[in-house]
Amino acid sequence: MPDVDEFSFLPAQAAAVGVDVPTVERVSLALPDGRTLSGLRWGEEPPRVTLLHGAGLNAHTWDTTLLHLGEPALALDLPGHGDSSWREDAAYVGRVLAPDVAIALEAWTRGPQVVVGHSLGGLTAAALAASHPDLVDEVVIVDITPGINPSAGPAQLRAFFAGPTDWATRDELVEKALSFGLGGSRPAAERGVFLNTRVRADGRVEWKHHFAHLAAAAAAAGTDTGTPDAVRAVLASSGWDDIQAVRAPLLFVRADHGFVTAEDADELVRRAANARVRVVPTAHSVQEEDPAGLAALLRDTLSAA
């Protein structure tokens, strides 16, 4: 794809939604320990909503949702993903990631945010709201609880990312994604693969996110015996403590054929003081399967915030 960059897909996406192409810019921030945190700032006004993606994704997973929403926003690349630095300790847990998100909000926003988190990002949003309540007006958690079964939906993602960590072309990865039933249409899969990979100096293509490399290393070492450490870490039991400590209003969006069962959702409502649940007819990645529907929920949330 010569002369293609991360924003080359936006005009076609905006046209499909029926809106003008908004102002979107890449921003980056040096963290105190020398790592870099990166993200996308949408619009020219201060962000009203901050979005945190799931494991193995990046800030661009929210693009179509934000085109539908039409509000100033900040979409972050969580550590270990996108253009943000990997963690040497591979500690991709909500409580570990939340302090980096707090630094970003203090630098790039001017007031408390509606913080939206999908999957790993949802657990990070809860940890942020629990530890930095002054930064959060409301929390929206999309299809994750600390109690989900890691041998169910997450196992499919583990299998997809296991194996080689580099390829001769992005087309090879597109074919793999489609063979796993991931990515939707071919154009959508091509966009997703382009935005989630980079070309190394030797010309080989590799995943940007750390999770694929961790899964491949575990498989090569013969230590992947069912639930890899990376997935166990994401689902740390401390996540329930974070959810219980959230005092801001909490909207829980459950995909009816996603990772979260009705029982998981009931447990979250039992533990969270101000939680309400909306069930949507999608799989786990709600923001990619029904971006217009998710944007409508977020618009209502912003109106009430």
Side-chain angles (χ1 to χ4, degrees):
M1 288 187 177
D3 301 322
V4 174
D5 65 20
E6 65 177 316
F7 301 117
S8 296
F9 302 91
L10 275 178
Q13 290 173 275
V17 172
V19 299
D20 294 334
V21 179
T23 299
V24 187
E25 64 174 332
R26 170 69 60 180
V27 292
S28 62
L29 183 70
L31 296 171
D33 62 3
R35 289 179 297 117
T36 296
L37 191 70
S38 189
L40 301 172
R41 183 159 50 201
W42 286 69
E44 299 179 359
E45 299 297 322
R48 298 186 62 203
V49 56
T50 292
L51 303 103
L52 312 176
H53 61 76
L57 299 174
N58 58 73
H60 282 291
T61 193
W62 303 106
D63 285 359
T64 307
T65 300
L66 288 173
L67 287 168
H68 281 283
L69 184 61
E71 293 283 353
L74 176 66
L76 295 180
D77 284 336
L78 289 175
H81 298 78
D83 287 357
S84 293
S85 302
W86 293 0
R87 292 188 60 89
E88 290 185 5
D89 60 5
Y92 299 112
V93 184
R95 284 192 175 181
V96 175
L97 304 184
D100 292 346
V101 176
I103 292 172
L105 295 189
E106 289 165 351
W108 290 328
T109 69
R110 296 184 188 171
Q113 299 286 290
V114 172
V115 180
V116 183
H118 168 247
S119 205
L120 171 61
L123 300 178
T124 304
L128 176 73
S131 59
H132 295 80
D134 56 309
L135 297 176
V136 180
D137 257 343
E138 183 156 355
V139 180
V140 180
I141 296 177
V142 181
D143 207 54
I144 190 72
T145 79
I148 66 169
N149 179 2
S151 298
Q156 179 192 22
L157 297 180
R158 181 179 75 246
F160 173 62
F161 289 126
T165 57
D166 63 287
W167 295 266
T169 67
R170 286 187 166 108
D171 287 341
E172 292 181 24
L173 266 177
V174 171
E175 293 298 335
K176 182 177 181 181
L178 293 173
S179 73
F180 272 75
L182 302 173
S185 65
R186 179 172 290 274
E190 289 173 348
R191 171 182 169 274
V193 165
F194 180 88
L195 294 171
N196 212 8
T197 58
R198 58 186 162 222
V199 179
R200 300 189 314 214
D202 64 1
R204 301 283 291 178
V205 174
E206 69 173 2
W207 290 114
K208 284 186 174 182
H209 64 83
H210 202 180
F211 273 81
H213 302 262
L214 295 172
T223 58
D224 184 358
T225 57
T227 306
D229 289 342
V231 173
R232 276 197 293 267
V234 168
L235 301 175
S237 60
S238 62
W240 282 125
D241 297 331
D242 293 331
I243 287 171
Q244 199 155 328
V246 173
R247 292 296 172 261
L250 190 157
L251 171 62
F252 184 70
V253 180
R254 182 174 79 84
D256 69 356
H257 50 290
F259 289 179
V260 177
T261 65
E263 291 75 19
D264 292 330
D266 289 344
E267 180 66 13
L268 184 143
V269 171
R270 187 183 72 80
R271 292 182 183 243
N274 300 305
R276 63 195 192 280
V277 179
R278 297 291 182 272
V279 180
V280 295
T282 75
H284 180 59
S285 293
V286 179
Q287 72 280 5
E288 296 183 0
E289 293 205 15
D290 186 14
L294 181 58
L297 289 176
L298 297 182
R299 191 174 298 110
D300 292 343
T301 299
L302 285 165
S303 297

